[in-house]
Amino acid sequence: MTIQLPNVSLAPPAGRLSLMMVLRAVLALAVMVLLIGSAMAAERLQLRGDVVAHSDVLTLGDLVDGAPAGIAGTPLFRAPALGASGTIQARRVIDAARDRGLGSVETGGRLQVVVTRAARRIGVNGIEAAVKRALESQHGLEARMLGIAFDGTPTLVVAPDVTGQVAVEDLTYDRRSRRVSALVWLGPSPTERKAAMRVSGAVVEQVEVALLTRALNRGETAQAADFTIERRAKESVPSDAQAEVQGLAGRVARRALAAGALVRVGDLARPEIVSRGDIITVVYEVPGMTLSLRGRASESGAQGDTINVVNPQSKKTLQGQIVAPGRVSVSAAVPGRIASTVMQP
């Protein structure tokens, strides 16, 4: 038996085909709109905000964001001097963009653009260091112990890419008046100076002095952390100022001392280990012989001090050096004389 199947067409009906074509057209249109929007966004011109200039001129690309690459490098305005700032009216930038065939520039409400020229500044410290090096090499002064009080506030201003140390030439120095004058400059070579100026001032010789970092009461023992070293102008420092802190730790204040006070000879003393009136041991030592006796200290002293000691029996007075608490060492040119003094009842 044979079964006859009806004819079936696999092609979509005409109505469905038309709907698919419409959907494809709509999709293509949407894609086109997106592409056109992206292109328009890419071509949008925006006035830049505050600008930092790195050369002598300002280009279209420096001032307008989105400027085409072909004309972005077109110079428009002269940049301010190194380290200086200036303003450009927004309308001038817009007019310059229009003159070069560009569309409208969005300003974001800005009426002007602030332009600052990039620069590197070498101030007083850098200039002073250079002049001090020159004084050391040409006049034998110790650079680290010098200060310079310049007339005014010298500053060298150069482009950020200019490197190197400040150079000095034409240096003059009067030892009597301590006046100094020099030409300072920065650049690759003397013939290619990027900045130069003449400076003058007074040379201040300095010395190192010990200062207290905290207050000390009379009789209080100082610690190593209680001192610091500072440089002061030589003419302002008294002649008896302590120049070093070595050996000051462990000493006691002879009077009340304020924090920040300059330490002078006599402000601190070694702690006394023998007091006046103490009964102490007096020792005399020579090769092959040691003599000792008891005596009374006539004065107080610290280790290393020389004091007078009285023999209570003979009432004779000896001089000895304090070597330990309650112990004094005596030396003499004539041992027999010491022996007779010691042994006399």
Side-chain angles (χ1 to χ4, degrees), residues 280-286 289-295 309 318-332 338 342:
I280 59 176
T281 299
V282 181
V283 178
Y284 174 75
E285 291 181 295
V286 294
M289 180 177 64
T290 300
L291 301 175
S292 64
L293 74 153
R294 304 290 286 174
V309 180
L318 303 174
Q319 279 193 335
Q321 186 179 51
I322 301 174
V323 294
R327 191 177 180 89
V328 172
S329 175
V330 176
S331 60
I338 294 295
V342 172

Side-chain angles (χ1 to χ4, degrees), residues 272-280 296-301 307:
E272 294 180 351
I273 57 176
V274 171
S275 299
R276 182 178 180 181
D278 284 355
I279 299 299
I280 59 176
R296 185 181 299 275
S298 298
E299 50 194 329
S300 303
I307 62 171

Side-chain angles (χ1 to χ4, degrees), residues 120 122 156 158-159 162-167 184-189 192-196:
R120 184 166 72 93
I122 296 91
L156 288 171
V158 295
V162 177
T163 60
Q165 285 188 330
V166 178
V184 296
W185 57 272
L186 194 69
S189 67
E192 297 181 83
R193 296 172 182 161
K194 300 302 181 182

Side-chain angles (χ1 to χ4, degrees), residues 145-285:
M145 300 305 292
L146 297 179
I148 300 177
F150 286 108
D151 302 329
T153 308
T155 304
L156 288 171
V157 183
V158 295
D161 58 346
V162 177
T163 60
Q165 285 188 330
V166 178
V168 175
E169 61 182 68
D170 193 21
L171 176 76
T172 60
Y173 174 59
D174 187 333
R175 289 183 178 273
R176 189 170 183 177
S177 65
R178 295 183 182 176
R179 295 287 300 175
V180 64
S181 174
L183 178 69
V184 296
W185 57 272
L186 194 69
S189 67
T191 57
E192 297 181 83
R193 296 172 182 161
K194 300 302 181 182
M197 68 181 305
R198 180 161 290 278
V199 297
S200 61
V203 175
V204 181
E205 292 189 59
Q206 299 176 328
V207 293
E208 292 183 340
V209 293
L211 301 179
L212 281 170
T213 59
R214 70 178 182 94
L216 292 178
N217 297 319
R218 184 176 183 275
E220 187 176 359
T221 301
Q223 309 298 322
D226 296 335
F227 303 98
T228 188
I229 290 291
E230 187 175 291
R231 291 177 186 171
R232 296 278 181 90
K234 185 176 181 179
E235 54 267 21
S236 68
V237 175
S239 59
D240 62 347
Q242 289 278 4
E244 298 181 351
V245 298
Q246 287 81 0
L248 297 183
R251 298 195 176 193
V252 296
R254 286 184 169 176
R255 58 184 179 86
L257 300 171
L262 185 148
V263 182
R264 306 176 70 163
V265 175
D267 284 345
L268 301 170
R270 290 169 298 185
E272 294 180 351
I273 57 176
V274 171
S275 299
R276 182 178 180 181
D278 284 355
I279 299 299
I280 59 176
T281 299
V282 181
V283 178
Y284 174 75
E285 291 181 295

